[in-house]
Amino acid sequence: MPMRSASAASARGAQAPEGRPGEYLEPVGVETGRWLFLGMDGRLTAYLPVAGGVQRWTQDRPGATRWTGPEFFAAPHVRFMSLTQGADGYVHLLGRRARRRADGTATVDIVHAIQYQTGRPLSEWRGLGNPYKDPEAARKFGRPSGVADASGTVHVFVRNGAGGVHLRREGVGGKWQPWEDLGGEQAVHGLAPAVTASGRIELLAPARGSALHWYQAEAGGQLLRGQDIPQVPVAGSAVGLETARERVSFYWSDPAGGIVAQRPGNWPVALGSATDDTQLAAVRTFIDGYDCTVLAHRGATGAIMLSAFVNESEANGVWWSDTGRRCVGGPGLAVDAYGRVTLAAVDESGALWISHQTEGQGLALGDWYRI
């Protein structure tokens, strides 16, 4: 796919709003999805939505401790950002844009931008619209969550004002298909989509009194409504991860402050630990030759808690380690070009901190360094 031209605001890179380089920008954080990604060239990139746009840090070379950034990319009137990455390496940024007309009424739409290659400018923000013509219904349209399937097709999920879920997906040649109403009731924000290696998508939607579940029977197919899950995830905490061939596990915080693992159709498993209401981070990687799930979350004290266990063995017990690093919002988690688990945190000043897995047995982290 050819590169799309970046907007003038995006091309300014490290320049903050109103042209004040180095100005402190209040961290806003990612609404859903990951925010630390491995590019096709082996470099990591971190994104932090801030007031007025998004900041980006880029690793200088694979495995390096030197990073470039933060670079600032303007996103006027955009909040509640969600990020996802396709198998092609493209990073997709989604946001909810609310603007006020001259007569005082508000307009709300969903917007989308892409980073095609590591370190390149973002594309321009393009509107994906709003399925509602009625101004009041349109104003209640919620926050986007996205996922890209194996072919790179982007799927955008949004809770609507009636408590159901709408989907809009990219079609052939980049042309977007119309919004689809998937139904549902009493959904809240923090929709958690996941994709399997074959490109099949599942969606968990936290709701009042339960969790709603949709799935594709095959990659590229329609989203089908599954059975409701009689659990209540904290809104904004859930994350999904393929933990076995064509099987997705969802992890979230429950209202009592603990963490839960759930595979649709199975009993939930309590994972212990005390958490807040930020999103969990999850990756799958090999540790000591075992296919493992790694989870990270911000604990009740504000410090990042980390755990690793063999995939789908949660019932055998999960042990958490305090990393000693406090963060604003949920942590970032990725596997770098050398197969090392990499953890990222943003502090209260908006600075980025990184720690990489060290050599040796188990999951041990090296010293934190500030970008």
Side-chain angles (χ1 to χ4, degrees), residues 52-261:
V54 61
Q55 288 183 329
R56 184 187 72 189
W57 294 262
T58 306
Q59 201 173 29
D60 284 1
R61 57 180 175 79
T65 57
R66 290 181 58 86
W67 295 57
T68 299
E71 298 174 279
F72 177 81
F73 298 92
H77 311 293
V78 177
R79 291 191 62 200
F80 306 120
M81 286 192 195
S82 174
L83 283 75
T84 190
Q85 185 179 36
D88 51 13
Y90 297 168
V91 176
H92 300 268
L93 291 80
L94 299 159
R96 182 182 187 270
R97 180 171 61 187
R99 294 174 290 182
R100 193 162 297 279
R101 296 190 181 100
D103 62 3
T105 59
T107 62
V108 172
D109 66 342
I110 304 301
V111 293
H112 173 230
I114 309 173
Q115 181 176 314
Y116 292 100
Q117 295 173 328
T118 304
R120 300 287 297 174
L122 300 184
S123 74
E124 62 183 355
W125 289 93
R126 296 195 171 188
L128 300 183
N130 185 319
Y132 294 102
K133 303 299 182 184
D134 175 71
E136 183 63 18
R139 185 183 63 81
K140 294 179 180 179
F141 203 50
R143 312 171 185 183
S145 296
V147 68
D149 65 17
S151 66
T153 299
V154 183
H155 294 63
V156 181
F157 299 93
V158 184
R159 177 200 54 79
N160 56 47
V165 175
H166 266 78
L167 161 68
R168 193 170 191 191
R169 61 179 115 190
E170 192 178 17
V172 178
K175 183 177 180 181
W176 288 82
Q177 298 177 8
W179 286 99
E180 304 172 41
D181 188 347
L182 300 181
E185 58 284 320
Q186 296 189 323
V188 294
H189 70 271
L191 309 183
V195 62
T196 67
S198 72
R200 193 179 59 81
I201 290 172
E202 294 195 26
L203 174 70
L204 182 95
R208 295 180 178 87
S210 66
L212 313 181
H213 179 238
W214 284 265
Y215 68 95
Q216 288 178 324
E218 58 183 6
Q222 295 299 308
L223 269 292
L224 306 173
R225 181 76 182 271
Q227 291 186 337
D228 292 355
I229 298 170
Q231 299 286 318
V232 184
V234 171
S237 68
V239 63
L241 180 72
E242 184 182 31
T243 51
R245 182 176 177 83
E246 294 304 310
R247 189 159 60 232
V248 172
S249 297
F250 291 99
Y251 302 93
W252 65 73
S253 303
D254 67 20
I259 294 175
V260 174

Side-chain angles (χ1 to χ4, degrees), residues 26 28 89 121 138 155 291 337:
E26 178 187 0
V28 175
H155 294 63
D291 192 0

